[in-house]
Amino acid sequence: MSTTTTTLVLVPLLAVLAPLIARALARWVTFPGIVFELLLGIAIGPAVLNLVQPSELLEMLSHFGVAMLFFMAGTEINAAALRGRSGARAWGGWLISFGVGTALGWVIAPGLGAVIIGIALSSTALGTLIPVLRDAGEFTTPFGRTVGAVGAVGEFGPIIAISVVLSERSTLQAILVLIAFAVVAVLAVWQAGRTSYPWLHRFVESTMHTSGQFAVRLVMLILSALVALSLALKVDILLGAFTAGIVWKLLISDASPKTQEQVESKIEGLAFGFLVPIFFITTGVDFDLQALLAQPWTFAAVPAVTVLLLLVRGVPSMLAAPSGTGRRERLAVGVMGATGLPIIIVATSAGVSAGYLSPTTAAVLVGGGLLSVLLFPVVATALRARDSADDIPAA
């Protein structure tokens, strides 16, 4: 078979295998599916079996995948959670993480490389945590809302920083362009949220089970328009995708719960059933395992990065915990906040392309992020379960 044919067969096969493996292991321990998508991508890539090579096809689909991932993160933003004490403390915690992470990064890669490391160490994988919170029934609890606020800030803050740091313009020009994008985005969000759209909801419902599929088509239009605006202004496309998710959520927010649930199911199917797995599998294919194994210290540095994520991002994240929160729940918030991977992948890939980071440093950071996704949600869930058990009065 040709390389293209092999890619067309193997990548969908791995996308199917990843949840099967996760389900098989769930009787002992629950891991997010993206862990297996990354590991399987590494296995078939040049680093191990060399069955699939990086290609323009995979790269293009991967860009769509990361855009859909951050679109979905935008739809999960809880505006109420970002206001008041929790929101302010979530932003304060992120600023502390970013400052400390950048200071530590200066030891490894002075200059803009240090800022990119700071972005990576201050990120939170909201898109990874949302399925974990949902499956545990925590999404609408005070704990879940707190983690949502921490995760939203831990994605939105780094996206803004990436747009400024990795811009081709000067810092001042990049900030002015970012403000221009923000004005357009705020106007779009304001227009989407200022009134209800019953005609839109009726049309969405009438095409829900027809070939029209208006909701899906409109989502792709909103996503494409804001990503195109990002590209035109040379702002990171993740910011456009994230904003598109917020706009769509507001547009559909007044629809009936049944309609919202059906539309959400269709969009999740497109995102997590097709495009997002390709992004993570492609990331695995592109992962420079040889750089990670080239020196004994590099492999040993991976768990060190995971510990840094816990200290740099996890500890400040605990500031957002509600008043009166118990010690274990506060720790669980911190551990969840320290779970990072998608932003780490995006930031380090851009850093390597721009020449600010070495492939080895990028591989170590991604490896540390992968280990955080593997361990931290499991630890946080165990802490919450232990906390809940302690709250049950003895018979």
Side-chain angles (χ1 to χ4, degrees), residues 66-78 82 124-128 130 139 148 151-153 155-156 159 238 241-246 249 267 271-272 276 342-343:
V66 72
M68 280 302 298
L69 178 64
F70 282 88
F71 173 89
M72 295 304 299
T75 65
E76 300 291 355
I77 291 298
N78 186 338
L82 292 176
T124 299
L126 178 61
T128 302
I130 286 169
F139 195 64
V153 170
E155 287 201 333
F156 198 59
I159 290 172
L238 301 185
F242 200 77
T243 306
I246 297 173
K249 182 181 180 181
I267 305 305
F272 297 113
V276 175
I343 289 285

PDB file of all heavy atoms in Angstrom, residues 66-78 82 124-128 130 139 148 151-153 155-156 159 238 241-246 249 267 271-272 276 342-343:
ATOM      1  N   VAL A  66      -7.576  20.637  16.131  1.00  0.00           N
ATOM      2  CA  VAL A  66      -7.267  21.509  17.276  1.00  0.00           C
ATOM      3  C   VAL A  66      -8.248  22.682  17.322  1.00  0.00           C
ATOM      4  O   VAL A  66      -8.639  23.147  18.411  1.00  0.00           O
ATOM      5  CB  VAL A  66      -5.802  21.993  17.221  1.00  0.00           C
ATOM      6  CG1 VAL A  66      -5.570  23.010  16.128  1.00  0.00           C
ATOM      7  CG2 VAL A  66      -5.385  22.566  18.567  1.00  0.00           C
ATOM      8  N   ALA A  67      -8.696  23.156  16.154  1.00  0.00           N
ATOM      9  CA  ALA A  67      -9.703  24.226  16.137  1.00  0.00           C
ATOM     10  C   ALA A  67     -11.008  23.740  16.762  1.00  0.00           C
ATOM     11  O   ALA A  67     -11.630  24.452  17.572  1.00  0.00           O
ATOM     12  CB  ALA A  67      -9.943  24.707  14.704  1.00  0.00           C
ATOM     13  N   MET A  68     -11.424  22.525  16.435  1.00  0.00           N
ATOM     14  CA  MET A  68     -12.659  21.982  17.007  1.00  0.00           C
ATOM     15  C   MET A  68     -12.512  21.727  18.500  1.00  0.00           C
ATOM     16  O   MET A  68     -13.457  21.898  19.275  1.00  0.00           O
ATOM     17  CB  MET A  68     -13.045  20.680  16.300  1.00  0.00           C
ATOM     18  CG  MET A  68     -13.744  20.869  14.974  1.00  0.00           C
ATOM     19  SD  MET A  68     -15.276  21.844  15.063  1.00  0.00           S
ATOM     20  CE  MET A  68     -16.301  20.831  16.123  1.00  0.00           C
ATOM     21  N   LEU A  69     -11.317  21.325  18.934  1.00  0.00           N
ATOM     22  CA  LEU A  69     -11.078  21.090  20.362  1.00  0.00           C
ATOM     23  C   LEU A  69     -11.292  22.371  21.158  1.00  0.00           C
ATOM     24  O   LEU A  69     -11.962  22.369  22.200  1.00  0.00           O
ATOM     25  CB  LEU A  69      -9.648  20.570  20.567  1.00  0.00           C
ATOM     26  CG  LEU A  69      -9.232  20.309  22.022  1.00  0.00           C
ATOM     27  CD1 LEU A  69     -10.057  19.198  22.639  1.00  0.00           C
ATOM     28  CD2 LEU A  69      -7.744  19.965  22.097  1.00  0.00           C
ATOM     29  N   PHE A  70     -10.772  23.482  20.650  1.00  0.00           N
ATOM     30  CA  PHE A  70     -10.909  24.733  21.381  1.00  0.00           C
ATOM     31  C   PHE A  70     -12.282  25.369  21.159  1.00  0.00           C
ATOM     32  O   PHE A  70     -12.753  26.129  22.004  1.00  0.00           O
ATOM     33  CB  PHE A  70      -9.767  25.682  21.021  1.00  0.00           C
ATOM     34  CG  PHE A  70      -8.488  25.308  21.722  1.00  0.00           C
ATOM     35  CD1 PHE A  70      -7.611  24.398  21.171  1.00  0.00           C
ATOM     36  CD2 PHE A  70      -8.208  25.834  22.967  1.00  0.00           C
ATOM     37  CE1 PHE A  70      -6.456  24.024  21.842  1.00  0.00           C
ATOM     38  CE2 PHE A  70      -7.052  25.470  23.638  1.00  0.00           C
ATOM     39  CZ  PHE A  70      -6.179  24.557  23.079  1.00  0.00           C
ATOM     40  N   PHE A  71     -12.926  25.045  20.053  1.00  0.00           N
ATOM     41  CA  PHE A  71     -14.328  25.442  19.898  1.00  0.00           C
ATOM     42  C   PHE A  71     -15.170  24.781  20.988  1.00  0.00           C
ATOM     43  O   PHE A  71     -15.996  25.435  21.636  1.00  0.00           O
ATOM     44  CB  PHE A  71     -14.842  25.026  18.515  1.00  0.00           C
ATOM     45  CG  PHE A  71     -16.320  25.238  18.335  1.00  0.00           C
ATOM     46  CD1 PHE A  71     -16.798  26.449  17.862  1.00  0.00           C
ATOM     47  CD2 PHE A  71     -17.233  24.229  18.626  1.00  0.00           C
ATOM     48  CE1 PHE A  71     -18.170  26.658  17.699  1.00  0.00           C
ATOM     49  CE2 PHE A  71     -18.594  24.427  18.473  1.00  0.00           C
ATOM     50  CZ  PHE A  71     -19.061  25.645  18.002  1.00  0.00           C
ATOM     51  N   MET A  72     -14.972  23.487  21.201  1.00  0.00           N
ATOM     52  CA  MET A  72     -15.726  22.775  22.232  1.00  0.00           C
ATOM     53  C   MET A  72     -15.405  23.331  23.613  1.00  0.00           C
ATOM     54  O   MET A  72     -16.290  23.435  24.475  1.00  0.00           O
ATOM     55  CB  MET A  72     -15.415  21.280  22.179  1.00  0.00           C
ATOM     56  CG  MET A  72     -15.873  20.579  20.904  1.00  0.00           C
ATOM     57  SD  MET A  72     -17.631  20.772  20.554  1.00  0.00           S
ATOM     58  CE  MET A  72     -18.361  19.996  21.999  1.00  0.00           C
ATOM     59  N   ALA A  73     -14.151  23.708  23.842  1.00  0.00           N
ATOM     60  CA  ALA A  73     -13.797  24.319  25.125  1.00  0.00           C
ATOM     61  C   ALA A  73     -14.549  25.635  25.308  1.00  0.00           C
ATOM     62  O   ALA A  73     -15.017  25.953  26.411  1.00  0.00           O
ATOM     63  CB  ALA A  73     -12.290  24.554  25.199  1.00  0.00           C
ATOM     64  N   GLY A  74     -14.696  26.408  24.215  1.00  0.00           N
ATOM     65  CA  GLY A  74     -15.437  27.655  24.289  1.00  0.00           C
ATOM     66  C   GLY A  74     -16.900  27.446  24.628  1.00  0.00           C
ATOM     67  O   GLY A  74     -17.503  28.234  25.367  1.00  0.00           O
ATOM     68  N   THR A  75     -17.490  26.362  24.123  1.00  0.00           N
ATOM     69  CA  THR A  75     -18.903  26.093  24.425  1.00  0.00           C
ATOM     70  C   THR A  75     -19.105  25.692  25.877  1.00  0.00           C
ATOM     71  O   THR A  75     -20.225  25.757  26.382  1.00  0.00           O
ATOM     72  CB  THR A  75     -19.460  24.963  23.533  1.00  0.00           C
ATOM     73  OG1 THR A  75     -18.790  23.721  23.825  1.00  0.00           O
ATOM     74  CG2 THR A  75     -19.295  25.286  22.054  1.00  0.00           C
ATOM     75  N   GLU A  76     -18.048  25.263  26.537  1.00  0.00           N
ATOM     76  CA  GLU A  76     -18.175  24.803  27.920  1.00  0.00           C
ATOM     77  C   GLU A  76     -17.905  25.908  28.934  1.00  0.00           C
ATOM     78  O   GLU A  76     -17.962  25.674  30.142  1.00  0.00           O
ATOM     79  CB  GLU A  76     -17.199  23.639  28.187  1.00  0.00           C
ATOM     80  CG  GLU A  76     -17.424  22.416  27.308  1.00  0.00           C
ATOM     81  CD  GLU A  76     -18.717  21.689  27.618  1.00  0.00           C
ATOM     82  OE1 GLU A  76     -19.401  22.072  28.592  1.00  0.00           O
ATOM     83  OE2 GLU A  76     -19.052  20.743  26.877  1.00  0.00           O
ATOM     84  N   ILE A  77     -17.584  27.115  28.447  1.00  0.00           N
ATOM     85  CA  ILE A  77     -17.299  28.211  29.360  1.00  0.00           C
ATOM     86  C   ILE A  77     -18.549  28.577  30.157  1.00  0.00           C
ATOM     87  O   ILE A  77     -19.624  28.787  29.592  1.00  0.00           O
ATOM     88  CB  ILE A  77     -16.803  29.447  28.585  1.00  0.00           C
ATOM     89  CG1 ILE A  77     -15.423  29.179  28.003  1.00  0.00           C
ATOM     90  CG2 ILE A  77     -16.741  30.674  29.487  1.00  0.00           C
ATOM     91  CD1 ILE A  77     -14.377  28.914  29.043  1.00  0.00           C
ATOM     92  N   ASN A  78     -18.402  28.612  31.453  1.00  0.00           N
ATOM     93  CA  ASN A  78     -19.485  29.042  32.336  1.00  0.00           C
ATOM     94  C   ASN A  78     -19.178  30.475  32.773  1.00  0.00           C
ATOM     95  O   ASN A  78     -18.311  30.707  33.615  1.00  0.00           O
ATOM     96  CB  ASN A  78     -19.574  28.115  33.554  1.00  0.00           C
ATOM     97  CG  ASN A  78     -20.768  28.430  34.440  1.00  0.00           C
ATOM     98  OD1 ASN A  78     -21.302  29.546  34.410  1.00  0.00           O
ATOM     99  ND2 ASN A  78     -21.187  27.469  35.230  1.00  0.00           N
ATOM    100  N   LEU A  82     -16.715  32.512  35.960  1.00  0.00           N
ATOM    101  CA  LEU A  82     -15.579  33.406  35.731  1.00  0.00           C
ATOM    102  C   LEU A  82     -15.763  34.768  36.386  1.00  0.00           C
ATOM    103  O   LEU A  82     -14.887  35.618  36.307  1.00  0.00           O
ATOM    104  CB  LEU A  82     -15.354  33.578  34.221  1.00  0.00           C
ATOM    105  CG  LEU A  82     -14.855  32.332  33.484  1.00  0.00           C
ATOM    106  CD1 LEU A  82     -14.775  32.591  32.001  1.00  0.00           C
ATOM    107  CD2 LEU A  82     -13.522  31.876  34.023  1.00  0.00           C
ATOM    108  N   THR A 124      -3.924  24.678  31.454  1.00  0.00           N
ATOM    109  CA  THR A 124      -4.796  23.629  31.998  1.00  0.00           C
ATOM    110  C   THR A 124      -5.598  23.036  30.845  1.00  0.00           C
ATOM    111  O   THR A 124      -6.115  23.772  30.009  1.00  0.00           O
ATOM    112  CB  THR A 124      -5.765  24.197  33.055  1.00  0.00           C
ATOM    113  OG1 THR A 124      -5.011  24.736  34.138  1.00  0.00           O
ATOM    114  CG2 THR A 124      -6.691  23.115  33.594  1.00  0.00           C
ATOM    115  N   ALA A 125      -5.714  21.715  30.822  1.00  0.00           N
ATOM    116  CA  ALA A 125      -6.387  21.023  29.716  1.00  0.00           C
ATOM    117  C   ALA A 125      -7.884  20.912  29.993  1.00  0.00           C
ATOM    118  O   ALA A 125      -8.391  19.859  30.362  1.00  0.00           O
ATOM    119  CB  ALA A 125      -5.770  19.633  29.509  1.00  0.00           C
ATOM    120  N   LEU A 126      -8.611  22.028  29.795  1.00  0.00           N
ATOM    121  CA  LEU A 126     -10.049  22.023  30.053  1.00  0.00           C
ATOM    122  C   LEU A 126     -10.770  20.985  29.207  1.00  0.00           C
ATOM    123  O   LEU A 126     -11.658  20.276  29.699  1.00  0.00           O
ATOM    124  CB  LEU A 126     -10.624  23.419  29.783  1.00  0.00           C
ATOM    125  CG  LEU A 126     -12.140  23.570  29.964  1.00  0.00           C
ATOM    126  CD1 LEU A 126     -12.542  23.262  31.393  1.00  0.00           C
ATOM    127  CD2 LEU A 126     -12.602  24.954  29.557  1.00  0.00           C
ATOM    128  N   GLY A 127     -10.403  20.894  27.917  1.00  0.00           N
ATOM    129  CA  GLY A 127     -11.049  19.926  27.040  1.00  0.00           C
ATOM    130  C   GLY A 127     -10.855  18.485  27.494  1.00  0.00           C
ATOM    131  O   GLY A 127     -11.696  17.615  27.235  1.00  0.00           O
ATOM    132  N   THR A 128      -9.755  18.216  28.184  1.00  0.00           N
ATOM    133  CA  THR A 128      -9.500  16.881  28.721  1.00  0.00           C
ATOM    134  C   THR A 128     -10.281  16.644  30.004  1.00  0.00           C
ATOM    135  O   THR A 128     -10.756  15.533  30.268  1.00  0.00           O
ATOM    136  CB  THR A 128      -7.991  16.714  29.006  1.00  0.00           C
ATOM    137  OG1 THR A 128      -7.265  16.935  27.794  1.00  0.00           O
ATOM    138  CG2 THR A 128      -7.679  15.327  29.531  1.00  0.00           C
ATOM    139  N   ILE A 130     -13.179  18.093  31.016  1.00  0.00           N
ATOM    140  CA  ILE A 130     -14.639  18.123  30.920  1.00  0.00           C
ATOM    141  C   ILE A 130     -15.251  16.720  30.869  1.00  0.00           C
ATOM    142  O   ILE A 130     -16.190  16.423  31.618  1.00  0.00           O
ATOM    143  CB  ILE A 130     -15.079  18.976  29.708  1.00  0.00           C
ATOM    144  CG1 ILE A 130     -14.868  20.459  30.022  1.00  0.00           C
ATOM    145  CG2 ILE A 130     -16.539  18.722  29.343  1.00  0.00           C
ATOM    146  CD1 ILE A 130     -15.004  21.359  28.825  1.00  0.00           C
ATOM    147  N   PHE A 139     -19.850  17.813  36.961  1.00  0.00           N
ATOM    148  CA  PHE A 139     -19.786  18.979  36.090  1.00  0.00           C
ATOM    149  C   PHE A 139     -20.587  20.165  36.628  1.00  0.00           C
ATOM    150  O   PHE A 139     -20.206  21.317  36.447  1.00  0.00           O
ATOM    151  CB  PHE A 139     -20.280  18.609  34.684  1.00  0.00           C
ATOM    152  CG  PHE A 139     -19.916  19.612  33.641  1.00  0.00           C
ATOM    153  CD1 PHE A 139     -18.588  19.849  33.330  1.00  0.00           C
ATOM    154  CD2 PHE A 139     -20.886  20.334  32.969  1.00  0.00           C
ATOM    155  CE1 PHE A 139     -18.226  20.785  32.375  1.00  0.00           C
ATOM    156  CE2 PHE A 139     -20.544  21.266  32.013  1.00  0.00           C
ATOM    157  CZ  PHE A 139     -19.214  21.488  31.711  1.00  0.00           C
ATOM    158  N   GLY A 148     -13.915  24.194  36.223  1.00  0.00           N
ATOM    159  CA  GLY A 148     -14.230  24.807  34.937  1.00  0.00           C
ATOM    160  C   GLY A 148     -13.662  26.206  34.816  1.00  0.00           C
ATOM    161  O   GLY A 148     -13.135  26.588  33.766  1.00  0.00           O
ATOM    162  N   GLY A 151      -9.905  25.874  34.513  1.00  0.00           N
ATOM    163  CA  GLY A 151      -9.566  25.367  33.185  1.00  0.00           C
ATOM    164  C   GLY A 151      -9.773  26.402  32.096  1.00  0.00           C
ATOM    165  O   GLY A 151      -8.957  26.517  31.167  1.00  0.00           O
ATOM    166  N   ALA A 152     -10.862  27.178  32.191  1.00  0.00           N
ATOM    167  CA  ALA A 152     -11.134  28.203  31.182  1.00  0.00           C
ATOM    168  C   ALA A 152     -10.030  29.256  31.171  1.00  0.00           C
ATOM    169  O   ALA A 152      -9.515  29.631  30.110  1.00  0.00           O
ATOM    170  CB  ALA A 152     -12.487  28.858  31.460  1.00  0.00           C
ATOM    171  N   VAL A 153      -9.648  29.712  32.353  1.00  0.00           N
ATOM    172  CA  VAL A 153      -8.563  30.698  32.458  1.00  0.00           C
ATOM    173  C   VAL A 153      -7.245  30.072  32.018  1.00  0.00           C
ATOM    174  O   VAL A 153      -6.420  30.721  31.355  1.00  0.00           O
ATOM    175  CB  VAL A 153      -8.464  31.219  33.902  1.00  0.00           C
ATOM    176  CG1 VAL A 153      -7.209  32.058  34.095  1.00  0.00           C
ATOM    177  CG2 VAL A 153      -9.703  32.044  34.254  1.00  0.00           C
ATOM    178  N   GLU A 155      -6.766  27.986  29.757  1.00  0.00           N
ATOM    179  CA  GLU A 155      -6.678  27.863  28.302  1.00  0.00           C
ATOM    180  C   GLU A 155      -6.718  29.240  27.647  1.00  0.00           C
ATOM    181  O   GLU A 155      -5.960  29.523  26.733  1.00  0.00           O
ATOM    182  CB  GLU A 155      -7.817  26.981  27.775  1.00  0.00           C
ATOM    183  CG  GLU A 155      -7.624  25.506  28.092  1.00  0.00           C
ATOM    184  CD  GLU A 155      -8.418  24.584  27.195  1.00  0.00           C
ATOM    185  OE1 GLU A 155      -9.470  25.016  26.688  1.00  0.00           O
ATOM    186  OE2 GLU A 155      -7.998  23.432  27.016  1.00  0.00           O
ATOM    187  N   PHE A 156      -7.618  30.108  28.145  1.00  0.00           N
ATOM    188  CA  PHE A 156      -7.784  31.424  27.533  1.00  0.00           C
ATOM    189  C   PHE A 156      -6.537  32.290  27.738  1.00  0.00           C
ATOM    190  O   PHE A 156      -6.073  32.949  26.800  1.00  0.00           O
ATOM    191  CB  PHE A 156      -9.019  32.107  28.119  1.00  0.00           C
ATOM    192  CG  PHE A 156      -9.525  33.244  27.294  1.00  0.00           C
ATOM    193  CD1 PHE A 156      -9.915  33.052  25.985  1.00  0.00           C
ATOM    194  CD2 PHE A 156      -9.605  34.531  27.825  1.00  0.00           C
ATOM    195  CE1 PHE A 156     -10.391  34.098  25.215  1.00  0.00           C
ATOM    196  CE2 PHE A 156     -10.075  35.591  27.065  1.00  0.00           C
ATOM    197  CZ  PHE A 156     -10.468  35.364  25.756  1.00  0.00           C
ATOM    198  N   ILE A 159      -3.681  31.166  25.468  1.00  0.00           N
ATOM    199  CA  ILE A 159      -3.975  31.480  24.068  1.00  0.00           C
ATOM    200  C   ILE A 159      -3.652  32.940  23.769  1.00  0.00           C
ATOM    201  O   ILE A 159      -3.055  33.274  22.744  1.00  0.00           O
ATOM    202  CB  ILE A 159      -5.450  31.174  23.740  1.00  0.00           C
ATOM    203  CG1 ILE A 159      -5.694  29.663  23.735  1.00  0.00           C
ATOM    204  CG2 ILE A 159      -5.823  31.749  22.377  1.00  0.00           C
ATOM    205  CD1 ILE A 159      -7.152  29.286  23.619  1.00  0.00           C
ATOM    206  N   LEU A 238      -6.401  29.569  17.606  1.00  0.00           N
ATOM    207  CA  LEU A 238      -7.084  29.002  18.771  1.00  0.00           C
ATOM    208  C   LEU A 238      -7.984  30.037  19.431  1.00  0.00           C
ATOM    209  O   LEU A 238      -9.033  29.698  19.985  1.00  0.00           O
ATOM    210  CB  LEU A 238      -6.062  28.475  19.783  1.00  0.00           C
ATOM    211  CG  LEU A 238      -5.098  27.400  19.287  1.00  0.00           C
ATOM    212  CD1 LEU A 238      -4.246  26.894  20.443  1.00  0.00           C
ATOM    213  CD2 LEU A 238      -5.849  26.256  18.653  1.00  0.00           C
ATOM    214  N   ALA A 241     -11.146  30.109  17.396  1.00  0.00           N
ATOM    215  CA  ALA A 241     -11.938  28.900  17.640  1.00  0.00           C
ATOM    216  C   ALA A 241     -12.613  28.954  18.998  1.00  0.00           C
ATOM    217  O   ALA A 241     -13.781  28.585  19.154  1.00  0.00           O
ATOM    218  CB  ALA A 241     -11.033  27.672  17.530  1.00  0.00           C
ATOM    219  N   PHE A 242     -11.879  29.418  20.004  1.00  0.00           N
ATOM    220  CA  PHE A 242     -12.402  29.524  21.363  1.00  0.00           C
ATOM    221  C   PHE A 242     -13.585  30.501  21.397  1.00  0.00           C
ATOM    222  O   PHE A 242     -14.635  30.211  21.987  1.00  0.00           O
ATOM    223  CB  PHE A 242     -11.282  30.015  22.275  1.00  0.00           C
ATOM    224  CG  PHE A 242     -11.494  29.739  23.740  1.00  0.00           C
ATOM    225  CD1 PHE A 242     -11.281  28.481  24.263  1.00  0.00           C
ATOM    226  CD2 PHE A 242     -11.893  30.759  24.590  1.00  0.00           C
ATOM    227  CE1 PHE A 242     -11.453  28.228  25.615  1.00  0.00           C
ATOM    228  CE2 PHE A 242     -12.068  30.518  25.947  1.00  0.00           C
ATOM    229  CZ  PHE A 242     -11.852  29.249  26.463  1.00  0.00           C
ATOM    230  N   THR A 243     -13.418  31.654  20.736  1.00  0.00           N
ATOM    231  CA  THR A 243     -14.476  32.660  20.696  1.00  0.00           C
ATOM    232  C   THR A 243     -15.696  32.134  19.946  1.00  0.00           C
ATOM    233  O   THR A 243     -16.842  32.403  20.329  1.00  0.00           O
ATOM    234  CB  THR A 243     -13.969  33.943  20.023  1.00  0.00           C
ATOM    235  OG1 THR A 243     -12.784  34.387  20.687  1.00  0.00           O
ATOM    236  CG2 THR A 243     -15.014  35.042  20.056  1.00  0.00           C
ATOM    237  N   ALA A 244     -15.468  31.376  18.874  1.00  0.00           N
ATOM    238  CA  ALA A 244     -16.577  30.799  18.110  1.00  0.00           C
ATOM    239  C   ALA A 244     -17.426  29.887  18.988  1.00  0.00           C
ATOM    240  O   ALA A 244     -18.666  29.879  18.877  1.00  0.00           O
ATOM    241  CB  ALA A 244     -16.032  30.015  16.911  1.00  0.00           C
ATOM    242  N   GLY A 245     -16.787  29.134  19.866  1.00  0.00           N
ATOM    243  CA  GLY A 245     -17.534  28.268  20.780  1.00  0.00           C
ATOM    244  C   GLY A 245     -18.427  29.069  21.720  1.00  0.00           C
ATOM    245  O   GLY A 245     -19.573  28.686  21.986  1.00  0.00           O
ATOM    246  N   ILE A 246     -17.914  30.200  22.213  1.00  0.00           N
ATOM    247  CA  ILE A 246     -18.692  31.059  23.108  1.00  0.00           C
ATOM    248  C   ILE A 246     -19.898  31.641  22.364  1.00  0.00           C
ATOM    249  O   ILE A 246     -21.023  31.661  22.873  1.00  0.00           O
ATOM    250  CB  ILE A 246     -17.814  32.190  23.673  1.00  0.00           C
ATOM    251  CG1 ILE A 246     -16.671  31.608  24.514  1.00  0.00           C
ATOM    252  CG2 ILE A 246     -18.651  33.161  24.511  1.00  0.00           C
ATOM    253  CD1 ILE A 246     -15.658  32.637  24.972  1.00  0.00           C
ATOM    254  N   LYS A 249     -22.598  28.963  21.758  1.00  0.00           N
ATOM    255  CA  LYS A 249     -23.313  28.621  22.986  1.00  0.00           C
ATOM    256  C   LYS A 249     -24.381  29.661  23.295  1.00  0.00           C
ATOM    257  O   LYS A 249     -25.494  29.323  23.722  1.00  0.00           O
ATOM    258  CB  LYS A 249     -22.327  28.511  24.154  1.00  0.00           C
ATOM    259  CG  LYS A 249     -23.002  28.114  25.465  1.00  0.00           C
ATOM    260  CD  LYS A 249     -22.013  28.029  26.604  1.00  0.00           C
ATOM    261  CE  LYS A 249     -22.717  27.640  27.906  1.00  0.00           C
ATOM    262  NZ  LYS A 249     -21.780  27.566  29.051  1.00  0.00           N
ATOM    263  N   ILE A 267     -22.553  17.965  17.374  1.00  0.00           N
ATOM    264  CA  ILE A 267     -21.272  18.680  17.319  1.00  0.00           C
ATOM    265  C   ILE A 267     -20.177  17.871  18.010  1.00  0.00           C
ATOM    266  O   ILE A 267     -19.038  17.800  17.522  1.00  0.00           O
ATOM    267  CB  ILE A 267     -21.394  20.078  17.967  1.00  0.00           C
ATOM    268  CG1 ILE A 267     -22.531  20.874  17.322  1.00  0.00           C
ATOM    269  CG2 ILE A 267     -20.085  20.833  17.836  1.00  0.00           C
ATOM    270  CD1 ILE A 267     -22.423  21.005  15.826  1.00  0.00           C
ATOM    271  N   ALA A 271     -16.689  16.566  16.441  1.00  0.00           N
ATOM    272  CA  ALA A 271     -15.422  16.942  17.074  1.00  0.00           C
ATOM    273  C   ALA A 271     -14.679  15.725  17.601  1.00  0.00           C
ATOM    274  O   ALA A 271     -13.568  15.405  17.158  1.00  0.00           O
ATOM    275  CB  ALA A 271     -15.685  17.943  18.200  1.00  0.00           C
ATOM    276  N   PHE A 272     -15.291  15.041  18.581  1.00  0.00           N
ATOM    277  CA  PHE A 272     -14.591  13.963  19.285  1.00  0.00           C
ATOM    278  C   PHE A 272     -14.663  12.615  18.574  1.00  0.00           C
ATOM    279  O   PHE A 272     -13.926  11.691  18.916  1.00  0.00           O
ATOM    280  CB  PHE A 272     -15.145  13.836  20.707  1.00  0.00           C
ATOM    281  CG  PHE A 272     -14.918  15.071  21.538  1.00  0.00           C
ATOM    282  CD1 PHE A 272     -15.981  15.854  21.963  1.00  0.00           C
ATOM    283  CD2 PHE A 272     -13.638  15.472  21.868  1.00  0.00           C
ATOM    284  CE1 PHE A 272     -15.772  17.000  22.722  1.00  0.00           C
ATOM    285  CE2 PHE A 272     -13.412  16.615  22.615  1.00  0.00           C
ATOM    286  CZ  PHE A 272     -14.479  17.384  23.036  1.00  0.00           C
ATOM    287  N   VAL A 276     -10.926  15.751  16.440  1.00  0.00           N
ATOM    288  CA  VAL A 276     -10.031  15.849  17.598  1.00  0.00           C
ATOM    289  C   VAL A 276      -9.113  14.629  17.723  1.00  0.00           C
ATOM    290  O   VAL A 276      -7.912  14.787  17.978  1.00  0.00           O
ATOM    291  CB  VAL A 276     -10.833  16.088  18.892  1.00  0.00           C
ATOM    292  CG1 VAL A 276      -9.918  16.063  20.110  1.00  0.00           C
ATOM    293  CG2 VAL A 276     -11.566  17.429  18.821  1.00  0.00           C
ATOM    294  N   PRO A 342      -2.934  19.931  25.679  1.00  0.00           N
ATOM    295  CA  PRO A 342      -3.136  20.543  24.357  1.00  0.00           C
ATOM    296  C   PRO A 342      -2.366  21.845  24.151  1.00  0.00           C
ATOM    297  O   PRO A 342      -1.706  22.021  23.118  1.00  0.00           O
ATOM    298  CB  PRO A 342      -4.655  20.778  24.318  1.00  0.00           C
ATOM    299  CG  PRO A 342      -5.221  19.749  25.243  1.00  0.00           C
ATOM    300  CD  PRO A 342      -4.210  19.622  26.345  1.00  0.00           C
ATOM    301  N   ILE A 343      -2.434  22.763  25.127  1.00  0.00           N
ATOM    302  CA  ILE A 343      -1.699  24.029  24.991  1.00  0.00           C
ATOM    303  C   ILE A 343      -0.201  23.773  24.966  1.00  0.00           C
ATOM    304  O   ILE A 343       0.555  24.447  24.254  1.00  0.00           O
ATOM    305  CB  ILE A 343      -2.056  24.986  26.143  1.00  0.00           C
ATOM    306  CG1 ILE A 343      -3.483  25.506  25.975  1.00  0.00           C
ATOM    307  CG2 ILE A 343      -1.082  26.152  26.210  1.00  0.00           C
ATOM    308  CD1 ILE A 343      -3.654  26.545  24.906  1.00  0.00           C
TER     309      ILE A 343
END
